[in-house]
Amino acid sequence: MLDVTQTPLQQLLRDRRRGYTLPAAFYRDPEIFRADMEGIFKRNWIYVGVEPDVAEPGDVMTVEVAGASVLIVRDDDDEVRAFHNVCRHRGARLVHEEKGTVGNIVCRYHSWTYDLAGSLLHAEHMGPDFKACSHGLKPVHIRSLEGLLFICLADEPPADFDEVARRLGPYIAPHNVRNTKVAFQSDIVEPGNWKLTMENNRECYHCAANHPELTVPLFAYGFGFSPEEMDDYDRANAERYGCLIRDNHRDWEAAGLPSKEIDELDTMVTGFRTERLPLDGDGESHTIDTKAACKKLLGDLTNAKIGGLSLWTQPNSWHHFLGDHIVTFSVLPVDATHSLLRTKWLVHKDAVEGVDYDLENLTSVWLATNDQDSTLVGYCQSSMESPAYEPGPYSPNTEMLVEKFVNWYCGRMADYVGRRS
Ligand code: 3BY
Ligand code: FES
Ligand code: FE
C-alpha cells in the first residue's frame, strides 16, 4: 500500500511558499534546529578555516560543528588532517583550545597519546590483548580548496566537491591563500538562527541604510538588480569611471584573473557562487579610504586595483578576496536562536603589522559591518515569536540569492527527511 504519512517537517517543507521567507518554526524551533544539524551540517561540506590556521606541523585548531568537536592538525608530512576531538579511551575531549601547537595529541585524563596522523602511540595498563591499532582517532573528511578548509562529518560526503574545486580553483589561486597568515580573527555570536544570518548575507538590499563603512568601497552592482537596472547602473558608472563591468571582466580575464560569474547556489549539492566585481571608483580594497590596507600584495599580484572576488558557499560561508587581503567568514550554528560568525583577515605571510599594515585600518570596515548585520539579524529573530509574523516576499531584483539559499536549504532538507521516512 502506498505510504502517505508525512512528518510535520515534510509537511512544512511541502507547504512553504516559494519566494517567501520561511515559517517562523524554521527560525526558532529547537526540533527543526536539530534536524538542520542532521540534514545540513552533518551531511554537507562545511567551511571551517584556512590552511594558514595550521601553518606548521603540530599546529592544531578545533571547531564545533553540529555538536561535534573536530580537531584539525598539520601532520609531520605537512598534510592537513581532521579528526573527531574525542579520546578513544573513555571519550574525553582531547584538545581544549581553539588554536595551539602540539608534539603529539595527549589526552589529559589517562594520557593516551596519539600521533599527528591519529594513530594511538601509548596507552598504559591496557593488558596484553589490547590492540592500539584499533583505537586510533576517528577521521573526519577534510578538503583544502586552494587553502580554504572544508570538513564533512558524513561517512560519504557530497561527491561534487571535485567539480567545485576544479571550477573555483583558478579564481582563488591568484590570491594564494596558502601564502598568507591570519592577521586577525573575530568571533561574534549573533542573536539569530543560522539561516537568518545566511539570508542577511545573501543580499545588499539593506546595505545603503545600514552599512555606511561598507558602502564606501563596495560596488553594489553584484547584489542584485533587474537586467534593466543593471544596464542603467553599468552605464551610469561607465560615464563616471569610463569602464563597463564587462570590460573589467575582459581585462581581468586577459590578465589571468578569472572574473566571470559562476552561480551554482541552488543547482549543486555543494552550492556556490563567485564573481569578481570592481570596487567603487578608484577603490582597491575594503577599507574606509578604499586604498589597499597592506603594502605587500597577495600572491604574485603587482596591482592592488583588481576589484574584489567574492565567493559564497552553501550552507555557511562567504569570502572577499582583494588584491592586498582576504576576509573570510564562516557561520557555525550554536542553538536555534544563536549563531557564531567567525571572521578572519588574511594578509601576505611576510607582511609585518605596523610596517606593512595597520590592524585597525585592515579590519574596521568588516568589524563595523558585522556588528550592524548582527543587529539586523536580531531584529528578525525577535519577531519569530510574534503572532503577527508571517512569511514575507523576497524582492525579485535584490534578494534572488536569498531565495536561492532558502531553495537550496529546503531541497537538502526534503532530501534528508525523504531518506529517513
Ligand atoms: O558580504 C557579503 O557578501 C554581503 C554583501 C554585502 C553585505 N553582505 C554581508
Ligand atoms: Fe582519554 Fe582516558 S579518556 S585517556
Ligand atoms: Fe549586511
Side-chain angles (χ1 to χ4, degrees):
M1 209 178 97
L2 188 66
D3 182 2
V4 291
T5 53
Q6 293 253 354
T7 65
L9 183 51
Q10 274 175 314
Q11 186 81 38
L12 275 174
L13 287 165
R14 207 196 58 197
D15 293 348
R16 68 122 186 166
R17 193 168 174 189
R18 288 181 82 90
Y20 280 68
T21 62
L22 294 168
F26 283 97
Y27 303 115
R28 67 163 198 229
D29 187 300
E31 284 304 320
I32 295 186
F33 178 79
R34 271 192 282 278
D36 284 359
M37 296 307 99
E38 297 299 323
I40 302 289
F41 279 83
K42 288 188 181 168
R43 290 205 316 152
N44 289 287
W45 287 104
I46 304 301
Y47 170 70
V48 291
V50 289
E51 283 202 39
D53 279 313
V54 287
E56 301 292 331
D59 286 353
V60 61
M61 75 167 166
T62 59
V63 62
E64 309 283 316
V65 177
S69 176
V70 175
L71 71 85
I72 295 166
V73 65
R74 188 177 290 270
D75 74 11
D76 292 322
D77 297 326
D78 235 13
E79 191 175 331
V80 179
R81 295 170 179 267
F83 301 100
H84 284 279
N85 190 13
V86 175
C87 183
R88 294 297 307 279
H89 178 217
R90 281 165 56 192
R93 176 161 294 195
L94 291 163
V95 180
H96 297 257
E97 298 75 26
E98 200 242 313
K99 288 273 188 79
T101 302
V102 295
N104 290 311
I105 299 161
V106 183
C107 182
R108 294 184 193 173
Y109 204 170
H110 313 92
S111 304
W112 281 29
T113 301
Y114 305 85
D115 69 17
L116 302 182
S119 302
L120 180 59
L121 294 176
H122 308 294
E124 286 197 336
H125 312 303
M126 294 307 293
D129 296 334
F130 177 72
K131 287 195 174 51
C133 61
S134 309
H135 293 84
L137 296 181
K138 290 192 175 172
V140 171
H141 295 283
I142 184 162
R143 294 289 303 266
S144 174
L145 202 181
E146 293 293 337
L148 305 179
L149 297 175
F150 293 78
I151 62 165
C152 182
L153 291 162
D155 292 339
E156 284 188 30
D160 60 1
F161 198 88
D162 285 335
E163 184 188 337
V164 176
R166 183 176 54 73
R167 293 171 68 190
L168 267 181
Y171 284 73
I172 303 170
H175 299 266
N176 205 341
V177 176
R178 292 190 177 97
N179 203 39
T180 65
K181 64 174 179 180
V182 181
F184 192 70
Q185 174 171 319
S186 118
D187 283 0
I188 62 172
V189 175
E190 295 195 353
N193 182 274
W194 69 275
K195 296 187 288 297
L196 289 179
T197 296
M198 294 308 299
E199 288 184 40
N200 173 71
N201 164 261
R202 297 307 200 225
E203 48 94 356
C204 222
Y205 193 0
H206 67 270
C207 291
N210 292 282
H211 295 321
E213 297 84 359
L214 183 66
T215 46
V216 177
L218 204 73
F219 189 60
Y221 177 93
F223 299 102
F225 293 113
S226 65
E228 306 75 55
E229 282 176 311
M230 279 203 251
D231 279 349
D232 290 350
Y233 197 82
D234 207 2
R235 261 194 300 276
N237 275 281
E239 273 165 33
R240 269 171 79 200
Y241 307 121
C243 189
L244 292 163
I245 304 264
R246 54 179 169 275
D247 295 337
N248 276 299
H249 279 172
R250 189 198 54 213
D251 294 349
W252 286 329
E253 300 260 343
L257 295 170
S259 304
K260 286 198 188 101
E261 179 194 20
I262 310 178
D263 184 350
E264 300 282 7
L265 279 173
D266 62 352
T267 38
M268 286 178 66
V269 172
T270 305
F272 73 98
R273 180 178 187 272
T274 192
E275 184 174 24
R276 184 181 299 278
L277 286 167
L279 299 176
D280 220 11
D282 291 328
E284 297 174 340
S285 199
H286 287 182
T287 49
I288 295 286
D289 68 2
T290 80
K291 297 295 164 207
C294 185
K295 284 186 204 150
K296 280 201 162 50
L297 300 185
L298 299 174
D300 297 327
L301 297 172
T302 50
N303 177 8
K305 194 172 163 8
I306 54 165
L309 175 75
S310 296
L311 163 65
W312 298 265
T313 71
Q314 313 288 36
N316 83 318
S317 82
W318 63 93
H319 317 253
H320 299 293
F321 300 83
L322 293 314
D324 68 318
H325 76 278
I326 298 165
V327 203
T328 172
F329 308 74
S330 63
V331 176
L332 299 167
V334 176
D335 60 28
T337 57
H338 295 89
S339 310
L340 174 68
L341 174 65
R342 176 162 289 166
T343 309
K344 298 174 200 260
W345 286 259
L346 314 179
V347 294
H348 191 290
K349 73 171 171 13
D350 299 331
V352 178
E353 187 188 340
V355 178
D356 297 304
Y357 67 96
D358 173 76
L359 205 50
E360 207 207 316
N361 185 39
L362 177 73
T363 56
S364 60
V365 165
W366 276 105
L367 281 177
T369 305
N370 282 348
D371 265 356
Q372 293 147 1
D373 281 326
S374 180
T375 302
L376 301 173
V377 163
Y379 289 167
C380 287
Q381 187 66 50
S382 59
S383 294
M384 290 305 150
E385 300 293 333
S386 166
Y389 172 79
E390 62 178 289
Y394 295 126
S395 155
N397 296 329
T398 67
E399 292 177 307
M400 305 89 76
L401 306 187
V402 189
E403 212 180 317
K404 288 185 181 191
F405 168 76
V406 171
N407 289 346
W408 177 89
Y409 164 80
C410 289
R412 290 298 285 153
M413 288 302 280
D415 180 76
Y416 166 67
V417 289
R419 276 165 206 256
R420 277 167 65 229
S421 60

